[in-house]
Amino acid sequence: LHYASWGGHPEVAQALLEAGADRHLPVMNRHGVNAFFMAVIQDHQEVFKVLFKGKGLRPANFFNLLLHLAARNGQV
């Protein structure tokens, strides 16, 4: 899921989520760096939309981080 988010592949991200991938799982040894973060950093808005919709979202402080990062990048 991390590679799909980083590479901008919403169809792959959707398929992985449907197969049970955890959208909140952090990259190894990188606290807070997950699929959401990768999609925002790379400006892959379609991937972010796929990650954001559906079940299994856990409210967390990283949503604030993502919003500020997106605003800084002119994505909001």
Side-chain angles (χ1 to χ4, degrees):
L1 187 57
H2 296 123
Y3 287 114
S5 296
W6 187 260
H9 304 287
E11 301 85 9
V12 175
Q14 181 66 44
L16 290 168
L17 290 170
E18 289 172 2
D22 182 354
R23 67 188 85 212
H24 298 283
L25 186 69
V27 175
M28 183 182 287
N29 300 323
R30 302 282 184 191
H31 179 70
V33 177
N34 57 25
F36 290 99
F37 187 84
M38 292 180 152
V40 170
I41 284 289
Q42 292 298 101
D43 195 20
H44 296 309
Q45 296 174 18
E46 293 305 313
V47 175
F48 186 82
K49 289 176 188 176
V50 167
L51 294 170
F52 196 75
K53 69 180 180 180
K55 298 178 182 178
L57 283 178
R58 288 183 238 146
N61 290 338
F62 76 86
F63 281 117
N64 288 332
L65 170 67
L66 294 175
L67 180 59
H68 285 97
L69 184 59
R72 188 192 77 194
N73 290 343
Q75 298 163 316
V76 175

